[in-house]
Amino acid sequence: MATGRGLIACPNCDALHLEEELAAGETAACIRCGTVLAKPREGAFAQLIALAFTSMVLLVGAVFFPFLEVSTMGFGNASSLFDVALAFADGVLLPLVLAVLAMIIGLPILRSFLLLYTLIPLAQGRPPHRHAARAFRWSELLRPWSMAEIFVIGTAVALVKVAGLATVHLGPAFWAFSALIVVNLASRAFMCQTSIWDAIEDAGLPTAMPRPAAGDA
């Protein structure tokens, strides 16, 4: 109890359970609230790697392919997110544009890279990389800040208002973002954080956060 080794806490109600080894297909649920604590799947690491690669490809395409084409009275213009960033590169909105690109493009790509860094050795049966535990921890911390889904919802709401003023055609980048939502949902369905942490621990890497030394603020 002092170290927490061999225990697993429910993320919903904080109930502590004794950790047990699960076979593929078995499910561990909280005895208090029923929240799924672990659900290992056969080949889940390979599926997560494939989804992470897919996410990175979709995000790169979403930056450079046309996002929207707006036409009215015979005039039309198609632009990508990269074109938008260049248009505001010299204006006062540059910090806002950079922040938006970081949230909807940069963080999801970084999270996919961290997952690949963590999972590729594990899927191949090799020891994980030296900083695998830290990389996976950061990938989970960045999950709520990946705003690709929010961006698509906001764009859809804006299109409802613009559609009455001009003809709007959705470009490949918009559909890439839509596909990204499906990929992210599939990744969450296949991911079992407990199985990944167990695989890292079984390889001999520490997964606990280092405690500050006595006297540190």
Side-chain angles (χ1 to χ4, degrees):
M1 293 294 291
T3 63
R5 293 184 181 275
L7 299 176
I8 181 172
C10 174
N12 188 38
C13 67
D14 294 330
L16 290 177
H17 305 76
L18 291 177
E19 186 176 3
E20 296 183 2
E21 292 291 335
L22 299 178
E26 293 183 336
T27 302
C30 177
I31 60 175
R32 179 186 295 174
C33 65
T35 300
V36 175
L37 303 178
K39 191 176 182 179
R41 298 172 182 266
E42 189 70 30
F45 288 176
Q47 293 167 340
L48 289 172
I49 290 172
L51 292 172
F53 271 119
T54 303
S55 178
M56 295 178 72
V57 172
L58 289 173
L59 285 167
V60 172
V63 174
F64 298 102
F65 286 130
F67 188 83
L68 290 176
E69 181 180 356
V70 181
S71 59
T72 181
M73 300 180 63
F75 297 95
N77 183 42
S79 60
S80 65
L81 293 180
F82 186 72
D83 296 330
V84 173
L86 291 179
F88 293 97
D90 298 328
V92 294
L93 294 179
L94 177 60
L96 178 61
V97 172
L98 294 178
V100 171
L101 290 178
M103 291 292 183
I104 65 175
I105 301 294
L107 290 185
I109 288 181
L110 175 59
R111 184 170 180 271
S112 296
F113 174 79
L114 293 173
L115 284 176
L116 293 175
Y117 177 86
T118 303
L119 296 178
I120 287 179
L122 297 176
Q124 295 176 343
R126 297 187 290 107
H129 294 300
R130 179 180 178 184
H131 302 290
R134 182 176 298 178
F136 183 62
R137 182 176 291 109
W138 273 105
S139 72
E140 291 301 291
L141 290 175
L142 292 176
R143 182 200 296 267
W145 297 98
S146 299
M147 298 294 183
E149 297 91 340
I150 305 301
F151 178 72
V152 172
I153 295 174
T155 302
V157 173
L159 290 178
V160 174
K161 299 181 178 181
V162 176
L165 303 176
T167 302
V168 179
H169 300 281
L170 303 177
F174 180 87
W175 298 114
F177 272 111
S178 301
L180 180 64
I181 296 177
V182 178
V183 171
N184 288 340
L185 291 176
S187 178
R188 294 173 186 175
F190 286 120
M191 179 175 291
C192 176
Q193 292 92 342
T194 303
S195 299
I196 298 177
W197 286 122
D198 287 344
I200 296 175
E201 286 182 341
D202 292 342
L205 291 182
T207 58
M209 293 286 289
R211 295 185 178 181
D216 291 349

